[in-house]
Amino acid sequence: MSMVKFFYGDNVPLEMHKTRIVQKIYLQPIERRLQAIREAGYNTFLLKNKDLFLDMLTDSGVNAMSDKQQAAMLEADDSYAGSETFTKLEEKIKEIFGKEYFLPAHQGRACENIISQTYVKPGMIVPMNYHFTTSKAHVVLNGGSVEEIFTDEALKITSEQPFKGNMDIDKLRDLIKTNGADKIAFIRLEAGTNLIGGQPHSLENMREIRKVCDEYGLLLVYDASLLADNLYFIKTREEQCKDMSIREITRELADLADIIYFSARKLGCARGGGICTNSRDAYLKMRELVTLYEGFLTYGGMSVREIEAIAVGLEETMDINMINQGPQFIEYMVKELVERGIPVVTPAGGLGCHIDAMGFLDHVPQTEYPAGALAAAFYIVSGIRGMERGTLSEQRDEAGNEILSHMELLRLAMPRRVYSLSHVKYAVDRLTWLYENRHLIGGLKFVEEPSVLRFFFGRLETTNDWDVKLVEKFKADFGESL
Ligand code: F0G
C-alpha cells in the first residue's frame, strides 16, 4: 500500500500489487443464508465455504501469496532429512531474527505445546500482555496458570492510546515479587495482541520487559504470529522508530526475546510455524518434542513447499508496502464505521476490524453471547463470516460457571491482499443496516457444548425467533434476497 495523494482529496488506501489469479465467490440469497447458519448451529466456524460471500473468519492460512512465493514452491527440495529447503528457511530466520537455532512445527499452537511442555510445571504462572486461546490452553494443560498484565487502557473500546497491547510493567514487577521469580515459567509477550482487537505493543515496552527479565533471571518468550502488523504500528506510531527500517525494528525486537515462536499461517503468508532461539540449552530441551510431535527436525510437520513459501514470505514482510495493506484497509473500515456511529475498537489495530458487540447489542446479556449472536446475524444479512471473540471463546471454570470475557467482539478479519475496497464498503454497508435494526437481534444458547475450546464445535440456537424477524425486515427494506 502506498499513500498516494488523490487530486479530489479522499484518503483511499492504494494497493501496491495486482491480482493475477482469482477465485469465484457467490452471494447466496438470504433464505439460504438463514438455513445455512441454522445447519451450522449458529456457529460461524461450522459454516461451509459454498455458503460464504466474504470469509472474514480469520487471517490464518488464507492470506494471498505472492508470485515469488508460488515460484519458490516449485523449487522445494523434498526429503525426510536434510532438505535444502529447510536450510533456506533456517538461514532466513538467522538473517532476519538473528537467532542461531530454528525448530520447525506444523503451526503456532504446536510451538505453544512444545514451549509449555518444556517450561511450565504444575503451579507455575505465565504472565502475558493478554492471553490467546491456544496459548492459555497449553499453559493450563501443563498445570500452570496465566496472569494478564495489561494496561488500564487495553480493554477500553474507544481509545487514543497507540499501544494498547503494552504490558503494565509495575503490575509485572508486583506479580513477580508476590509469587517469587521461581514460580514464573516465562513471560509471554504477544505481538499484535489478538483477543483485544489486534492491538500492538511498543518497542519501548518490550525493552522494559527485558529489563525485568534480566533483573529476575526470567525467559522472555515472544509470540510473533502477528508481528507484521505490530511492525507497521511501531514504524508509524512510535516516534523514536519512525526513521528505522522494518528490518532494523524486527532485529531490535528479536534481540530482546530469548525465544521467538510464530504461526506462519499469519507471519509469512503461508502455512506452518516454528521456534527460534540463541540458547543451545533451550534448543536441546525442545528438540526432542519436535521429533516426537511434529516430524523430523528438517520439516517439523510442514510441507517443503510451504517452507519455501515461508522463507520468501518472511523476506517480503520486511517491506513496509507489503505489511501496511492489512492495517490500512482496517483503518479505512474503522473510520467509516466510526462516522456511522457503530461501536468499534479504536484505534484501528491489525488482523481485522473489531466490532464491540456489547455496545452494538446492549440489550443482550453476556450469558446469551452477544458477540456470537452478532456474528450469526451479520452472516444472515451479508453472507460475510466473522468470528466471535467473547464469552463463547472462553471456557467454563472447574465448577461449570461461565467465565464472562472482558470484551465481546465480532472480529472481521482482513486476510492480507485478498479483498478489495468494494468488498470492504459492502461490509460497512450491511453493518450499518444491521446497526439500525439491532433491536431485532436476540441471544443464543448452547445445544451442544464441548468442554475444551467450545467455540470451534459448539452448536447453539436462538433464544426466540429473532433470526426469522431479521430476514423479514431485510427483505422488506431491500425488496429482494441479496
Ligand atoms: N498466537 C497468536 C497471536 C495467534 O493469533 C494464533 C492463531 C496462534 C498463536 C496459534 O497459531 O493457529 O497456527 O496454531 N490465531 C488464529 C486466529 C487461529 O484466527 O486468530 P496457529
Side-chain angles (χ1 to χ4, degrees), residues 57-60 106-110 112 132 134-135 188 190-192 194 223 225-226 261-266 272 351 387 389 411 456:
L57 184 77
T58 178
D59 62 336
S60 171
H106 77 274
Q107 65 182 93
R109 69 201 69 182
E112 289 166 343
F132 182 69
T134 54
S135 57
R188 173 178 173 275
E190 182 181 313
N194 189 325
D223 179 349
S225 305
L226 290 168
Y261 77 92
F262 60 95
S263 166
R265 300 177 64 83
K266 296 177 183 249
L351 202 170
M387 187 192 287
R389 294 275 78 159
R411 177 178 94 177
F456 282 137

Side-chain angles (χ1 to χ4, degrees), residues 15-219:
E15 290 91 340
M16 286 295 116
H17 55 260
K18 62 180 179 180
T19 310
R20 291 163 65 205
I21 293 183
V22 294
Q23 180 182 354
K24 203 165 158 87
I25 48 178
Y26 300 91
L27 181 55
Q28 301 283 6
I30 195 162
E31 296 84 356
R32 171 62 206 148
R33 299 190 313 239
L34 176 62
Q35 190 57 32
I37 197 75
R38 284 181 175 162
E39 288 164 12
Y42 295 86
N43 179 351
T44 56
F45 272 99
L46 302 180
L47 284 165
K48 301 261 188 340
N49 274 8
K50 68 177 169 50
D51 292 316
L52 301 181
F53 178 47
L54 307 182
D55 190 2
M56 295 187 163
L57 184 77
T58 178
D59 62 336
S60 171
V62 288
N63 300 294
M65 280 192 184
S66 70
D67 49 357
K68 295 199 165 48
Q69 284 181 292
Q70 294 272 339
M73 287 170 93
L74 290 176
E75 290 182 352
D77 174 35
D78 220 345
S79 66
Y80 187 89
S83 138
E84 276 300 308
T85 289
F86 178 76
T87 308
K88 236 187 251 179
L89 178 57
E90 200 177 31
E91 289 300 320
K92 189 50 73 182
I93 295 274
K94 220 176 276 179
E95 180 197 319
I96 290 179
F97 296 121
K99 302 290 185 207
E100 195 65 32
Y101 304 105
F102 175 62
L103 292 166
H106 77 274
Q107 65 182 93
R109 69 201 69 182
C111 305
E112 289 166 343
N113 172 37
I114 290 162
I115 294 169
S116 295
Q117 278 207 40
T118 306
Y119 291 104
V120 179
K121 305 288 170 242
M124 286 185 126
I125 300 168
V126 180
M128 304 182 177
N129 48 345
Y130 205 75
H131 77 280
F132 182 69
T133 50
T134 54
S135 57
K136 181 174 175 178
H138 281 294
V139 169
V140 172
L141 210 60
N142 284 283
S145 63
V146 165
E147 286 286 343
E148 291 165 324
I149 318 286
F150 46 80
T151 64
D152 295 341
E153 205 69 18
L155 305 184
K156 290 185 188 155
I157 297 292
T158 311
S159 166
E160 306 218 323
Q161 163 60 243
F163 293 107
K164 281 159 84 176
N166 278 353
M167 246 185 215
D168 185 317
I169 303 296
D170 292 336
K171 285 189 204 156
L172 177 62
R173 281 183 193 283
D174 285 350
L175 181 85
I176 300 169
K177 276 186 208 143
T178 310
N179 295 281
D182 57 334
K183 277 271 178 305
I184 309 290
F186 54 82
I187 296 175
R188 173 178 173 275
L189 179 67
E190 182 181 313
T193 327
N194 189 325
L195 293 190
I196 59 164
Q199 298 291 322
H201 68 80
S202 65
L203 173 59
E204 185 58 35
N205 188 247
M206 193 164 174
R207 285 198 186 115
E208 306 249 330
I209 299 167
R210 178 73 256 167
K211 268 191 225 153
V212 176
C213 288
D214 289 342
E215 243 171 77
Y216 292 97
L218 296 172
L219 280 183

Side-chain angles (χ1 to χ4, degrees), residues 11 22 65 102 109 137 151 155 174 203 213 216 232 255 281 334 347 379 398-399 416 418 434 446 452 458 464:
N11 229 352
V22 294
M65 280 192 184
F102 175 62
R109 69 201 69 182
T151 64
L155 305 184
D174 285 350
L203 173 59
C213 288
Y216 292 97
Y232 168 77
D255 286 349
D281 175 53
V334 167
Y379 168 72
E398 278 163 15
R416 294 163 187 85
V418 170
L434 196 60
F446 267 107
V452 178
N464 55 47

Side-chain angles (χ1 to χ4, degrees), residues 232-462:
Y232 168 77
F233 291 122
I234 289 179
K235 168 91 182 158
T236 54
R237 293 183 184 173
E238 196 163 353
E239 181 57 28
Q240 55 166 318
C241 302
K242 70 177 194 305
D243 297 323
M244 289 169 76
S245 68
I246 294 297
R247 206 177 284 276
E248 283 165 348
I249 298 170
T250 308
R251 191 51 188 270
E252 279 241 23
L253 295 171
D255 286 349
L256 295 168
D258 297 295
I259 294 174
I260 302 173
Y261 77 92
F262 60 95
S263 166
R265 300 177 64 83
K266 296 177 183 249
L267 184 68
C269 294
R271 290 151 204 91
I275 307 170
C276 62
T277 181
N278 271 333
S279 156
R280 184 156 178 82
D281 175 53
Y283 169 74
L284 292 176
K285 275 188 186 142
M286 293 187 282
R287 191 170 70 173
E288 277 152 36
L289 296 176
V290 172
T291 42
L292 206 54
Y293 290 106
E294 301 302 307
F296 191 67
L297 285 175
T298 50
Y299 70 92
M302 287 183 275
S303 120
V304 280
R305 283 169 195 77
E306 298 291 340
I307 299 179
E308 287 279 351
I310 298 168
V312 176
L314 286 178
E315 178 56 37
E316 290 178 347
T317 301
M318 298 295 104
D319 176 2
I320 183 82
N321 281 333
M322 189 294 223
I323 59 172
N324 61 8
Q325 192 270 334
Q328 288 187 3
F329 260 36
I330 294 161
E331 194 182 340
Y332 177 88
M333 186 164 175
V334 167
K335 187 173 138 284
E336 295 284 311
L337 294 174
V338 167
E339 278 169 12
R340 289 162 174 79
I342 297 169
V344 57
V345 172
T346 61
L351 202 170
C353 181
H354 294 77
I355 316 294
D356 168 27
M358 277 199 272
F360 204 109
L361 300 179
D362 57 7
H363 55 285
V364 177
Q366 258 191 298
T367 47
E368 291 182 13
Y369 314 122
L374 186 58
F378 186 52
Y379 168 72
I380 293 171
V381 304
S382 68
I384 300 175
R385 163 159 81 165
M387 187 192 287
E388 191 270 1
R389 294 275 78 159
T391 299
L392 273 179
S393 298
E394 297 289 339
Q395 214 151 287
R396 286 179 191 266
D397 68 15
E398 278 163 15
N401 302 310
E402 278 285 7
I403 298 181
L404 301 180
S405 68
H406 294 127
M407 295 171 120
E408 291 285 339
L409 303 176
L410 164 60
R411 177 178 94 177
L412 299 175
M414 204 70 78
R416 294 163 187 85
R417 299 180 293 190
V418 170
Y419 293 122
S420 67
L421 208 59
S422 58
H423 287 138
V424 175
K425 285 181 181 232
Y426 171 78
V428 169
D429 182 77
R430 289 303 189 259
L431 265 174
T432 309
W433 182 87
L434 196 60
Y435 190 59
E436 298 215 339
N437 292 282
R438 61 190 180 278
H439 59 280
L440 290 175
I441 306 170
L444 295 176
K445 57 179 185 241
F446 267 107
V447 181
E448 280 173 44
E449 186 181 343
S451 56
V452 178
L453 299 174
R454 62 182 182 174
F455 58 95
F456 282 137
F457 305 117
R459 301 185 74 82
L460 302 100
E461 63 184 14
T462 50

